[in-house]
Each structure stands twice: as C-alpha cells, then as structure tokens.
Amino acid sequence: FLKLFENRVSKFFLTAVLATAFLSSFLLFQVQPLLGKLILPWFGGIPAVWITAMLFFQIMLVAGYAYAHFATKYLPAPWQALIHFLLLGAAVFFLPIVPDAFWKLAGGTEPSWHILKLLFYTVALPYLALSSSIPILSVWLSRQGFSSPLRLYALSNLAAFLALLSFPLVFEPIFSGNNQAAVWSGIFVVYTVFFLVAGVFHLAKKNQKQETSRELSGGVIEEHIGIAEVVKWLFLSAAGSLLLLAVTNSLTQDIASFPLLWIIPLSLYLLSFVLTFDDPRWYHRKVYGLFFALAVVFWLFMSYAGANVALLFQIAIYAVLLFSGCMLCHGELAQAKPGTEKISFFYLMLAVGGAVGGLIAALIAPRYFPSILELHVSVVLVAIVAFAVNFANLPESVAGAMTLSKEKMVFTVAFSLLLVAIILNGLSPKPGTIYQKRNFFGVIRVVGGGKEQGQFRHYTLLNGRINHGMQFAGESERRLPTTYYGENSGVGTLLKNLDGEKLRIGVVGLGAGTLAAYAGAGDFIKFYELNPEVGSVAENYFSFLRDSLANKEIAIGDARVSMEREEQQDFDLLAIDAFSGDAIPVHLLTQEAMEVYLKHVDQNGVIAFHITNIHLDLRPVVFALAEQFGLKAFLVGADSVIDKNIFRNDWILMGRRGLIDREFLDPWKQGTTAESFPKKILWTDQNSNLLRILKF
C-alpha cells in the first residue's frame, strides 16, 4: 500500500512539476512584450525602451536564480517550500500588472533608471517568483530520483518560445493591453496553484537523497568547478545576450519599435537554447560557424548599402546572424553543463552572463559608444567563439603554424580578414562627419557634403542612417527649406500660401529646424523634441532657428506627454513629423493621441502628418483617424527636386474647416482622400499592429 501510494505521489508530483515549469516560463516571456508595449508610449516609443526593459528582466532573472540557488543549497525542503509559498502569496498582491500613469516620463529626465524603477514597482515580485521556479523544480526532481532534470530547462525554453510566438499572433490581435494584463494575472494564479501542489507532493514523497547534504549543495561546487569553467559560462552567456540585444536594437532602429520586431530576435535566441539543451545532435560547430560567417559578410554589405535594403532581406540577415551566433554560444554552454547536483549554480551563472550582456547594451553602450558598436563587439566575440571551438588545437608557435593543414590555414586567413572588416566597419569614421553623439534616444550625426572650393555646400543631420534635415551653407541658399519640407510638399504648400498671416505653428519633431524657414515676424512656432541632443545640434550646427524672425519655443520631452500636461495652444497648424531612425513612434498615431492633438489645434486649423516611410504604409492608419473624428483629409505627394535637395515625400493634411478648405489645396482634394481610400486601420493605445501596414 505504501509503495502504491508513493508511486501515485510520484506521478502527481511529476505532472505538477511539468505544468508549473511550463506555465512559469510561459508567463515570464509573455510579460516582457506585454509590459514593454504598455510603457513604450511613455518614453517616446523608441527601441531603447525595450532594450532597457530587457535589462530589468535579466537582472530579475539573476535575482531569481540566486534566490533559488541559495535556498536549495542551504535550506531543507520544508523551508524551501514554505518560503516560496510566502513569496507567491506576496506576488499575488501585485496583480494585475498594469503600470501606473504616474510613471510617465517628464521632459529632460534620464529614462533608463526611470524605466527600471517603473518595472520594479510593477512586476518585481511576480517575476522573481516565476524566474526561480525552474531551478527549484530541477533540484526537487533530482532529489526525488528523476533522471535528466536539465531537460526541464529545454521544456521551459520551449514554453517561452511558444509564449513569444502567441503574443503577436494570438494575444495582441484579440486582447487590449490591459485585458492582456488581466489574462496574464489569471494564468499567474493558476501557476501558483500548480506550484503549491508540486510542493506538497514533494514533501509528501520520501526523498531519494538527503535533503540538505553538503554534497548536494555548496561543497562540491567550489571543489570541482574551477574559475576557468565559470568564466567560460559567463563569457558564452554574455556574448549571446549582447548579440540578441544589439541585433534587436539595430533591427528596430530603422523600422519601428513594436512587439513583433522584439519577439523575432528573442524567439530565435530562446530556440537556440531549446535545441542545444534538448539534444546534442542539434548542434554542429562547423555548420553554424559557416552560417555565422556568411551572415557576417551579408551584414557588412547591408551596413554599407544604407537604409534602402529590402525589409525582408534585412530581417533574414539579422535572423541568421543571431540564430547561428546563439547556437554557437549556447551549444558550447550545453556541452559544458555540470552534473545535476550543480544545476542551480549553472543556472545562476547563465543568468549573470545574460545580465552582463544586457548591462552593456542598455546602460554602457548608449553612454560610452559613439554609435551602435555593441553589435560589432558582439559579432567579434561570437566570431572568436566560432574560431576557438572549431580550431581550438591550433599550435601557438610560428614553427608550429607551418604544419597547419590547408583547411586550417584557409580558415585562419579568412577569419582574420573577416575580423579586420568588422572592426574597420565599426571604427572607421564616416566621410564628412563633423559631429557625432549617442545617447539613450539614438545616434545623432552632422555630416558635411558637396564640397565647393574646399567648403561644404550643405550640412545634413542624421539619426542613425536616416536624414532628419539638411541646410545649404551659402548665404543665398541657407534659408531654403529642403528634404521633406520643400515648397512643393504638403506642409510647404500650406505654409507658403499662408505667408503674411499671423500663425501659431506646432511641430512634433525638431530635426534641423527646417520648418522655421516658413515662420516670419509675428508668427509663433513651437517644436516638440524627444531628444535633448537634437535641440542643441539644431541651434549650434544649423541656422534655420536663428534666421527665423518668429517667436520660437522648444519643448524637450515626448510630444504627446508634453501636450497632455500643457494648456491649450490653439495651433493653426500642427505638423506630426517624429521619427527615430525611420521608425514611427506608434503612440503618436493612435486615437488617444489624436484626441490630444485636437485639443491644441484651432477649430479652423490643420493637422499635417508626414508619412514618408521606407518600410511602413501609414495611409490606412492616418485616414482612419480622420474618419474616426469626422475630419476632411487628403494626401499631398511631391516629387524630388535634386538640385534643391528636396526628397520625394508624402503628407496627409486634415481638418474640420477653415484652412483645409482653402482653394490652393483644391488640386489634391480630387486625389487620394479619406473617403476614397478603401483600407482603414484605426490604432488605439491598447490595439496597434504594424504587421498589416508593413511594405514587404
């Protein structure tokens, strides 16, 4: 009877452990894009918000693994279960995990620490409980005599992989952001019940091993795991984590910061863990080394080609680069894993290494790297891993090098050339660069071009690879509006024909300050700019602001947050032209954002949306806003004028009455309008999906 009881307990225990492990990992990786999306509008909608959020989750993963390691090392099973039960009870009080609007960023505030504090107060205890589950359950499995508890790590990564895939494909289309938080909180309660069941059955079943034996806990770890082995774990884990975040940052910088482009890299990162920890047959050093080398070559080509590379090609190259690099790092980690008695310490070191990579990407790189050099650094680190694992037995002496096989010599030369190309690509100064600085919001460069008699003919402001304004240097030309703001553009046509009327103009996105060229004496123009560095550059390296006789004001901070907090502005024109790279901040194109804009625009005024974009067709979204608020809206497209440095551009103008009805706009009212455009997609803060407007 006792044996039958024990067998049933074993089955219930194993079932509860597997269910708990699956749910804990599913929740861990559902909450990341969920909270990232909820807080994104409060911090300018830029890629660095997600990178900083990832750092928080990596730090909490370290905390969870550290707690699990020391609890299973020093405490008997009853105390382990009791303390975790109390932690789960405390975590429930944090539900539902909806961030408080109190945390919206004020202008000029450093966002990184603000985001970390927000996430800590919102989800710290639930995340700590979830992140410690797998190591605790693995130790419990080991002590109950079940084989291969490390396979639980592969199961957890599979659950995480499914969580990430289901977020954009299932949860995001069906549920609003707050409803997703409610669903997540409900699943967390279910997870808590399963963990309680697993704990009770663990205590009810007689352990196969002594629960608090020193052999199982710390003594063996310090004796048999050397410093070199720990450093190896940390290096491999940090290299993979840094590659993940650097690829994500690069991918979102010039497209858009939204969950799908966060999830694709993170899913590939986790898939590499699933495969390498599931079975060694998935990992082949030479195969992934070759794929990684090819991906690096195409990535270097892409970086020289600029922003006009096809979207699918960019995603494919980044995907192969990330996946092959992570397979190399995580494949070596899987082969270097210790015995089951040291599993919690192994987990802890993997988490620490991941957090080190996150720390470099989120806090160190934006402050100390002049550009997104963390991608080059991570590629170099993984290239060293690929070289070392495939040719670790290379002789060290010059004489020994002569005996290398032909294959090894070719590989060594190719590796050396590739390494030099990566370093030169990252460190070589871009031609004509006069000024360059990086901060949390991106990389700003001022570039001179078109030299005449030793002097630059014009100066260009670049954010990443995207042009944010250009000004001629000559006295006779420097007041001419250029790029997307020429007199033939939508906003230019409007302002040129209103010349002489006293206008109040609002502009979301400063750039080089080009639109100030249209504002004359008696006008008022207010620029909203997220990045404080752009304000400094526009005033010191360009003269549009200085030359304008209008009254001028620059509001630093997210435009929407700033406008929510200020008095009614009564703008005659509000131009929405905010970019990060070529990425549109989604929160500036939602129904709630439009309500804010209309509060500040005069009844007879116009809102102008700049929708020129390489990768996104924004017409369905903007026309849907016009229809939702009963506004007249039409598209004004303009061709490039090469000798005047005016680019092909598209603007959508909309308004109730007054300026929108002026006769000089009649030629475009017969073209593409809100009424005639067949496809409309209304975005809200809770529901926005870029998949439907991507240009493939």
Side-chain angles (χ1 to χ4, degrees):
F1 174 79
L2 290 176
K3 187 173 182 180
L4 178 63
F5 173 76
E6 188 171 312
N7 288 337
R8 290 193 173 184
V9 169
S10 295
K11 290 180 181 179
F12 281 121
F13 170 68
L14 183 59
T15 302
V17 165
L18 294 176
T20 306
F22 186 91
L23 287 177
S24 67
S25 293
F26 189 89
L27 290 169
L28 273 175
F29 286 88
Q30 270 270 318
V31 77
Q32 295 182 22
L34 169 58
L35 285 179
K37 183 176 181 180
L38 287 176
I39 69 172
L40 189 66
W42 300 353
F43 300 92
I46 59 175
V49 176
W50 171 246
I51 303 302
T52 307
M54 283 292 292
L55 172 62
F56 168 81
F57 294 124
Q58 289 172 323
I59 292 173
M60 290 307 301
L61 195 65
V62 173
Y65 282 4
Y67 152 66
H69 171 66
F70 289 107
T72 55
K73 177 178 178 180
Y74 292 112
L75 298 176
W79 280 102
Q80 295 171 28
L82 176 61
I83 291 176
H84 203 76
F85 293 166
L86 293 174
L87 176 61
L88 290 171
V92 170
F93 285 100
F94 278 73
L95 305 179
I97 50 161
V98 179
D100 195 306
F102 160 80
W103 293 101
K104 285 188 177 182
L105 182 67
T109 304
E110 166 56 43
S112 300
W113 295 111
H114 204 73
I115 293 171
L116 295 175
K117 287 188 291 184
L118 181 162
L119 292 172
F120 180 83
Y121 281 101
T122 303
V123 76
L125 276 187
Y127 202 87
L128 180 67
L130 291 168
S131 62
S132 58
S133 296
I134 297 298
I136 290 175
L137 293 172
S138 295
V139 172
W140 286 3
L141 277 178
S142 177
R143 289 175 177 176
Q144 295 293 355
F146 290 96
S147 61
S148 300
L150 268 173
R151 296 293 288 273
L152 203 62
Y153 193 57
L155 173 66
S156 70
N157 282 298
L158 178 60
F161 184 66
L162 294 175
L164 291 174
L165 288 181
S166 65
F167 184 83
L169 300 178
V170 179
F171 287 89
E172 197 176 18
I174 296 176
F175 301 105
S176 67
N178 288 341
N179 286 339
Q180 289 176 49
V183 170
W184 188 95
S185 301
I187 299 175
F188 185 88
V189 173
V190 175
Y191 149 80
T192 300
V193 172
F194 273 110
F195 197 101
L196 293 174
V197 171
V200 169
F201 282 124
H202 175 57
L203 297 177
K205 187 177 183 300
K206 181 180 178 182
N207 292 337
Q208 301 297 321
K209 297 183 180 181
Q210 186 179 350
E211 292 175 349
T212 58
S213 66
R214 295 297 296 171
E215 290 80 9
L216 187 60
S217 56
V220 175
I221 293 176
E222 284 79 15
E223 181 180 350
H224 293 290
I225 297 182
I227 295 297
E229 191 71 6
V230 173
V231 170
K232 179 180 179 181
W233 295 344
L234 291 173
F235 178 86
L236 291 170
S237 179
S241 172
L242 182 59
L243 182 63
L244 161 68
L245 296 176
V247 164
T248 304
N249 197 15
S250 298
L251 189 61
T252 55
Q253 193 72 233
D254 296 319
I255 302 174
S257 185
F258 68 108
L260 179 65
L261 289 183
W262 305 339
I263 286 170
I264 290 174
L266 188 53
S267 297
L268 294 172
Y269 176 81
L270 287 171
L271 181 60
S272 69
F273 268 119
V274 172
L275 296 177
T276 54
F277 278 80
D278 176 67
D279 194 305
R281 290 176 296 180
W282 291 109
Y283 175 53
H284 301 280
R285 288 169 169 167
K286 291 189 182 297
V287 171
Y288 288 107
L290 177 61
F291 274 110
F292 182 76
L294 291 174
V296 170
V297 171
F298 280 104
W299 164 65
L300 290 172
F301 160 77
M302 193 167 64
S303 66
Y304 283 113
N308 295 316
V309 179
L311 174 60
L312 286 179
F313 183 80
Q314 289 190 52
I315 294 175
I317 294 304
Y318 278 124
V320 175
L321 181 73
L322 175 62
F323 183 67
S324 57
C326 286
M327 284 297 292
L328 286 165
C329 293
H330 300 156
E332 295 305 313
L333 277 173
Q335 294 196 4
K337 64 181 180 287
T340 56
E341 73 278 1
K342 303 163 190 173
I343 182 61
S344 63
F345 183 70
F346 181 64
Y347 282 139
L348 177 57
M349 291 301 100
L350 296 194
V352 170
V356 169
L359 186 68
I360 295 172
L363 297 183
I364 295 176
R367 287 164 177 77
Y368 301 107
F369 290 1
S371 60
I372 307 179
L373 285 178
E374 60 267 30
L375 182 55
H376 294 79
V377 172
S378 63
V379 169
V380 168
L381 293 179
V382 177
I384 291 172
V385 172
F387 182 80
V389 300
N390 281 291
F391 297 93
N393 60 340
L394 287 175
E396 298 180 0
S397 66
V398 176
M402 301 301 293
T403 64
L404 289 176
S405 68
K406 184 177 181 180
E407 177 189 3
K408 290 183 179 181
M409 290 187 67
V410 170
F411 189 91
T412 303
V413 172
F415 170 78
S416 301
L417 292 174
L418 196 60
L419 215 58
V420 169
I422 296 169
I423 294 171
L424 289 177
N425 179 264
L427 297 181
S428 297
K430 302 297 187 292
T433 298
I434 298 168
Y435 174 86
Q436 179 167 318
K437 187 170 182 179
R438 180 183 180 184
N439 61 12
F440 179 85
F441 301 99
V443 180
I444 297 297
R445 281 197 301 139
V446 178
V447 178
K451 273 193 173 183
E452 291 182 355
Q453 298 180 346
Q455 300 294 322
F456 287 118
R457 184 168 182 254
H458 54 76
Y459 297 92
T460 303
L461 175 62
L462 298 173
N463 187 336
R465 296 179 297 182
I466 306 302
N467 188 314
H468 279 216
M470 190 281 295
Q471 184 175 28
F472 288 106
E475 181 65 29
S476 62
E477 298 177 301
R478 73 180 193 183
R479 292 175 179 81
L480 295 176
T482 57
T483 62
Y484 307 103
Y485 316 104
E487 293 184 354
N488 63 343
S489 67
V491 69
T493 297
L494 189 66
L495 290 172
K496 178 185 65 175
N497 285 278
L498 296 176
D499 186 30
E501 300 185 27
K502 304 305 179 187
L503 301 176
R504 289 183 61 84
I505 304 167
V507 184
V508 177
L510 172 60
T514 311
L515 284 179
Y518 290 103
D523 293 335
F524 171 78
I525 185 166
K526 183 172 185 176
F527 290 95
Y528 296 89
E529 175 55 48
L530 179 66
N531 189 346
E533 191 61 32
V534 172
S536 174
V537 168
E539 291 179 322
N540 295 318
Y541 289 89
F542 298 88
S543 67
F544 287 121
L545 294 175
R546 295 195 303 272
D547 292 340
S548 174
L549 298 178
N551 295 317
K552 300 172 287 291
E553 183 180 339
I554 299 176
I556 298 298
D558 180 76
R560 181 171 157 184
V561 174
S562 297
M563 283 193 276
E564 287 173 350
R565 294 174 175 173
E566 65 187 14
E567 296 296 323
Q568 184 173 329
Q569 296 293 308
D570 291 323
F571 291 127
D572 298 296
L573 168 67
L574 178 60
I576 312 299
D577 181 34
F579 295 85
S580 176
D582 201 39
I584 297 287
V586 171
H587 70 293
L588 296 181
L589 290 170
T590 64
Q591 179 178 331
E592 293 82 355
M594 192 67 178
E595 291 171 355
V596 175
Y597 303 151
L598 289 173
K599 166 191 167 184
H600 291 288
V601 175
D602 184 82
Q603 291 291 317
N604 293 311
V606 170
I607 302 177
F609 286 90
H610 183 200
I611 64 167
T612 310
N613 196 278
I614 297 173
H615 304 298
L616 304 174
D617 180 6
L618 294 170
R619 293 175 302 168
V621 177
V622 178
F623 280 137
L625 291 174
E627 182 179 76
Q628 178 70 16
F629 290 92
L631 305 177
K632 303 172 185 177
F634 49 87
L635 176 69
V636 179
D639 292 326
S640 61
V641 182
I642 297 176
D643 61 327
K644 294 184 178 181
N645 274 343
I646 293 174
F647 304 154
R648 174 77 179 85
N649 62 86
D650 292 301
W651 291 77
I652 290 180
L653 307 184
M654 64 176 67
R656 296 184 181 93
R657 58 179 181 268
L659 295 182
I660 201 71
D661 294 322
R662 294 290 183 94
E663 291 183 1
F664 61 80
L665 295 175
D666 286 347
W668 293 278
K669 295 174 186 175
Q670 308 305 316
T672 306
T673 65
E675 292 80 8
S676 65
F677 196 75
K679 178 183 176 183
K680 298 184 183 69
I681 303 171
L682 182 65
W683 282 354
T684 68
D685 287 349
Q686 299 292 324
N687 286 290
S688 58
N689 193 326
L690 276 81
L691 276 177
R692 299 173 64 187
I693 64 168
L694 284 175
K695 298 177 183 177
F696 290 106

